[in-house]
Amino acid sequence: MLKSITWKDFCSFSFFIIINLAILIQFSQLGDSASGKTIISGLLAVSLIPLIFQYFFIGTLRRKDLIFILFLVIVSILYFANLGDFTVLKIFLCVLATKGLTIKKVITYNTLTMAIVFLLIVLSSFIGITSIYYSGILFKWDAVQTAYVFGFNNPNTPPSIIFVLLSGYNLLHKKIKLWVIVVEVLIAILTFNFFLSRTGVGAIVGYSLLILLIQHIDHFKLGKYLLKPFQCSFLLMSILSCYSAIAFSITDVFWNGVNLLLSGRLYLWKSWIDFAGISVFGSSIPYELDALDNGYLYMLIIYGAFMLLFYNYVFLRVFRVAFQSKNWILFATAIMYSVYAFCEKGPLLYSMCNILLIFGTLIMNGQEKRTSNDNTKSEYTVNNNT
């Protein structure tokens, strides 16, 4: 087995273990201190080493690859000059890291390394380095509740990571067996008991049930046609998020009802839109937006219309490939990412977004063209044999 591991694979795995360590430290209590932020920046710099070597072992690059890479580098520099952070760079690095890899390898490396780092941070809470419990006030069901965080900053973060890990596992299979779906639902229930995250449990349960339904869609004559409009799920959720934030009125009975249903999120979205406004390349906000709880608006407010449009492009391309190749697991995953991002920003960021990684694999390796030419095969069937 060791003979089958190439230097390119070693570099790729090293990149994902380093970048996921940086990302999950950022989402944990370890990233709150000045030393933690320094470690994150250091890990980001170190992650460039295996990435550069990965490209060295790939050899000659296509001209359009070089143009695309140059474009991402220039945009990253412009964003850093404008906002002073590396978020966009980290997003683009995750795209560049997919060069020369099959989708199976990208998802495997990312899921495995994220699981390892996730467990290490959970372990840090058991040995006293970080806290097991949420330090803030969590008021639900008319009472103050105690939620676990296991070393992370927010009770919503661990469920988001668990969703990413489960989606990574599912994306490696063409069909998901019933017992796996049952286990995933049980994991969702257990997750809720620990973290009290309604969005987290809703996303995992909804995702499992969606897969249960959608992977048998070929048995229905009109099934594929019914799914066709869902290719625009991310676009529609983007529009819905922006419209809700702009149109919300505290004096309107309907909007107040929706606001209560969403735990006050609409009021918060409206406040941030009014405060920060909308720009093409984002604006530097002197406050944390951790409580914004909407991936679309987070991208729009902080990183501007450009990044929101970029993510729409990413999802539309992946939806198109999934639909044409009848890869319903990928299609269901993209739908649930689109829905989950309406209530959380985490699933869109960096390697947390498996859809972003799959987009990178398709665009960097020219695999979309091969896949689109054969609508009878699973997209993973094509790529896993390469």
Side-chain angles (χ1 to χ4, degrees):
M1 182 177 177
L2 291 176
K3 292 182 180 180
S4 64
I5 300 176
T6 65
W7 279 108
K8 183 178 69 176
D9 292 327
F10 176 76
C11 291
S12 301
F13 186 87
S14 299
F15 169 83
F16 278 107
I17 193 75
I18 295 169
I19 200 70
N20 278 327
L21 186 59
I23 291 166
L24 265 62
I25 286 178
Q26 177 183 332
F27 290 148
S28 75
Q29 298 163 24
L30 297 171
D32 290 340
S33 63
S35 59
K37 290 178 171 60
T38 302
I39 290 173
I40 293 170
S41 298
L43 287 170
L44 180 61
V46 172
S47 71
L48 296 174
I49 298 174
L51 184 61
I52 292 171
F53 274 100
Q54 177 182 335
Y55 273 75
F56 174 78
F57 289 115
I58 289 172
T60 306
L61 295 173
R62 300 173 301 171
R63 179 180 296 178
K64 64 180 182 179
D65 289 338
L66 292 172
I67 294 173
F68 184 64
I69 292 169
L70 182 61
F71 169 76
L72 295 185
V73 170
I74 292 173
V75 172
S76 298
I77 292 172
L78 291 175
Y79 264 103
F80 179 76
N82 183 36
L83 303 179
D85 73 36
F86 294 106
T87 297
V88 173
L89 175 62
K90 284 185 281 188
I91 290 171
F92 288 162
L93 283 179
C94 290
V95 174
L96 296 177
T98 62
K99 178 64 179 174
L101 298 175
T102 62
I103 289 177
K104 181 178 180 180
K105 284 186 176 180
V106 169
I107 297 300
T108 299
Y109 294 164
N110 184 58
T111 304
L112 180 59
T113 55
M114 186 173 291
I116 292 171
V117 177
F118 177 70
L119 291 175
L120 287 175
I121 293 177
V122 171
L123 179 62
S124 74
S125 69
F126 283 104
I127 61 178
I129 297 176
T130 57
S131 174
I132 293 179
Y133 300 102
Y134 180 52
S135 59
I137 298 175
L138 195 66
F139 191 79
K140 291 186 177 183
W141 307 294
D142 299 324
V144 176
Q145 305 291 333
T146 300
Y148 294 88
V149 289
F150 293 118
F152 291 93
N153 282 325
N154 192 295
N156 289 325
T157 301
S160 297
I161 298 172
I162 292 170
F163 171 81
V164 174
L165 297 177
L166 293 178
S167 67
Y169 172 85
N170 291 338
L171 287 167
L172 293 173
H173 299 80
K174 290 189 292 182
K175 294 286 184 181
I176 306 300
K177 296 180 179 179
L178 180 59
W179 71 266
V180 174
I181 292 175
V182 172
V183 169
E184 291 182 356
V185 171
L186 292 176
I187 290 174
I189 296 172
L190 188 63
T191 298
F192 180 75
N193 287 334
F194 279 112
F195 307 111
L196 304 180
S197 173
R198 291 173 292 186
T199 53
V201 69
I204 297 173
V205 171
Y207 179 46
S208 300
L209 297 179
L210 183 60
I211 287 177
L212 181 64
L213 294 173
I214 207 172
Q215 67 181 351
H216 300 294
I217 200 69
D218 289 328
H219 297 165
F220 301 94
K221 190 174 182 179
L222 298 177
K224 187 174 180 180
Y225 298 100
L226 293 175
L227 289 179
K228 192 171 184 178
F230 286 91
Q231 293 179 87
C232 298
S233 295
F234 194 89
L235 175 61
L236 293 175
M237 296 304 289
S238 297
I239 295 172
L240 179 61
S241 296
C242 296
Y243 176 76
S244 299
I246 295 171
F248 172 74
S249 172
I250 198 170
T251 60
D252 187 277
V253 176
F254 169 77
W255 283 116
N256 262 317
V258 177
N259 184 51
L260 289 173
L261 183 64
L262 295 176
S263 302
R265 284 181 168 90
L266 280 183
Y267 177 79
L268 190 62
W269 299 349
K270 175 69 172 179
S271 300
W272 276 112
I273 287 287
D274 290 342
F275 173 77
I278 299 173
S279 62
V280 177
F281 293 105
S283 55
S284 181
I285 306 296
Y287 308 104
E288 291 290 335
L289 288 185
D290 289 340
L292 185 58
D293 287 339
N294 183 296
Y296 303 97
L297 295 176
Y298 180 82
M299 282 293 166
L300 180 64
I301 294 172
I302 298 296
Y303 303 104
F306 177 85
M307 283 304 292
L308 183 58
L309 289 173
F310 170 76
Y311 267 92
N312 270 278
Y313 176 67
V314 167
F315 273 78
L316 283 172
R317 289 287 288 263
V318 174
F319 266 122
R320 174 178 175 270
V321 168
F323 184 78
Q324 291 187 344
S325 60
K326 296 184 179 181
N327 192 324
W328 304 128
I329 303 299
L330 175 57
F331 199 85
T333 303
I335 289 176
M336 192 48 61
Y337 261 99
S338 302
V339 174
Y340 201 0
F342 187 77
C343 296
E344 294 290 341
K345 69 178 185 294
L348 291 185
L349 296 177
Y350 325 122
S351 55
M352 294 276 286
C353 186
N354 281 317
I355 304 302
L356 179 70
L357 298 178
I358 291 173
F359 164 80
T361 308
L362 297 172
I363 203 84
M364 295 297 294
N365 301 303
Q367 294 180 12
E368 181 178 3
K369 185 175 180 180
R370 281 190 300 168
T371 303
S372 299
N373 288 337
D374 186 355
N375 292 341
T376 63
K377 292 184 179 181
S378 165
E379 192 266 339
Y380 289 100
T381 303
V382 175
N383 289 302
N384 288 350
N385 294 330
T386 59

